[in-house]
Amino acid sequence: MHLHKIFYALVAIHTVQSYNMYQTYKLKSPLKLTNGFRHKTIILPKGSVVTGLNDGTGNLQNIDSTTLSIKNQKKVFKKLGNWHLSFAMIKNNDGATQPYTRNTSFSINSLASFPQLSVKKAETQYDLAATTLPFISVTADNQLAYHSHGGIYQATRYAKIKKFKRTHSTITYYLSDPLKGVTTKRIKVGKAYQYRLNFKLGHVFQNRDSYNGDAGGYDITVNSDKQAFLMM
């Protein structure tokens, strides 16, 4: 089974939602979004690529702000503030009627192909670690984004994914530039250089409750050369 399928098969097992957050869509019309307080709004333009939870009848209930293109991210965070999920202002919005069908470093078969991964540190034995630890994600415009704090959702810095490869157990990205916080290998491609980054599934470990240290759920290690991340 391919790496991205393993990622999201595991996610699907642990969700009660029939329509998951990792499906990708291309908006057929502008989509008005709001934050949790519903007193600020912004409109994503027609053609924007998004991931989000749909209601089963073709309407988006929310979108994941961290997977938006960098351009759309900047608009959303500037207007709505620091929200991981932005919410559809209008219930019947048809936002989930047009799957995003291009196969890219961001999406394959209309499914987001790379999860949010937290940097693995000693704190990751606890179940709330992702609220503070740095994390990486892939955006709709094929950027690898680094977020310096788990509770701040706008990308801190990012690099363009020039090409990618998938095998049965790995995903390899070739970046346009090095990305601080992520270990890459500089390789020559023609007369220029790219920065290679490999991801491979590692071991599964049990985390602990942040409050009393009791055994909790399970997380998956994702190895990248000498660096480790985890999918929580």
Side-chain angles (χ1 to χ4, degrees):
M1 182 179 288
H2 288 292
L3 183 64
H4 72 282
K5 291 182 180 178
I6 295 172
F7 281 158
Y8 290 113
L10 288 165
V11 170
I13 290 170
H14 294 92
T15 180
V16 297
Q17 299 162 346
S18 300
Y19 304 92
N20 69 59
M21 283 289 298
Y22 307 101
Q23 292 173 331
T24 58
Y25 307 97
K26 186 174 182 179
L27 299 182
K28 294 173 64 175
S29 58
L31 179 67
K32 182 180 283 190
L33 299 175
T34 186
N35 59 22
F37 299 122
R38 299 184 66 85
H39 67 282
K40 294 181 179 179
T41 62
I42 189 171
I43 296 177
L44 284 185
K46 174 183 176 181
S48 295
V49 176
V50 302
T51 62
L53 182 65
N54 78 62
D55 64 358
T57 60
N59 302 299
L60 280 169
Q61 296 177 315
N62 55 39
I63 61 100
D64 185 342
S65 301
T66 67
T67 62
L68 291 171
S69 69
I70 296 298
K71 181 179 180 180
N72 280 338
Q73 274 194 41
K74 289 180 177 179
K75 291 179 180 178
V76 167
F77 288 116
K78 182 177 180 180
K79 189 66 180 292
L80 301 185
N82 182 47
W83 291 83
H84 192 174
L85 299 179
S86 301
F87 304 94
M89 193 70 177
I90 300 170
K91 182 177 180 179
N92 296 316
N93 53 63
D94 294 328
T97 56
Q98 181 170 282
Y100 180 61
T101 56
R102 290 187 60 197
N103 287 340
T104 68
S105 60
F106 168 68
S107 174
I108 185 167
N109 297 328
S110 302
L111 188 71
S113 59
F114 196 81
Q116 175 182 312
L117 296 181
S118 294
V119 173
K120 189 176 182 181
K121 296 185 178 180
E123 304 96 295
T124 55
Q125 66 178 301
Y126 297 105
D127 58 3
L128 296 181
T131 61
T132 60
L133 292 175
F135 68 94
I136 58 174
S137 61
V138 173
T139 67
D141 56 343
N142 301 301
Q143 305 274 354
L144 184 71
Y146 181 88
H147 307 254
S148 59
H149 190 281
I152 300 177
Y153 302 113
Q154 185 172 352
T156 306
R157 47 188 174 268
Y158 42 88
K160 185 72 175 179
I161 298 171
K162 301 291 289 185
K163 66 177 182 177
F164 64 97
K165 294 180 180 179
R166 291 187 176 92
T167 70
H168 68 284
S169 62
T170 64
I171 296 178
T172 303
Y173 289 131
Y174 296 82
L175 308 180
S176 60
D177 300 287
L179 187 63
K180 184 179 178 181
V182 178
T183 301
T184 58
K185 183 175 182 180
R186 186 172 182 253
I187 60 171
K188 194 166 187 179
V189 180
K191 296 182 178 180
Y193 289 93
Q194 292 179 0
Y195 298 84
R196 188 174 63 201
L197 181 61
N198 296 306
F199 294 99
K200 186 174 183 177
L201 284 177
H203 72 282
V204 175
F205 64 96
Q206 189 170 32
N207 63 40
R208 295 188 173 275
D209 186 280
S210 298
Y211 297 103
N212 55 29
D214 289 345
Y218 292 88
D219 298 324
I220 305 168
T221 302
V222 179
N223 295 309
S224 175
D225 295 322
K226 296 180 180 180
Q227 194 173 16
F229 298 86
L230 76 153
M231 184 176 69
M232 303 182 74

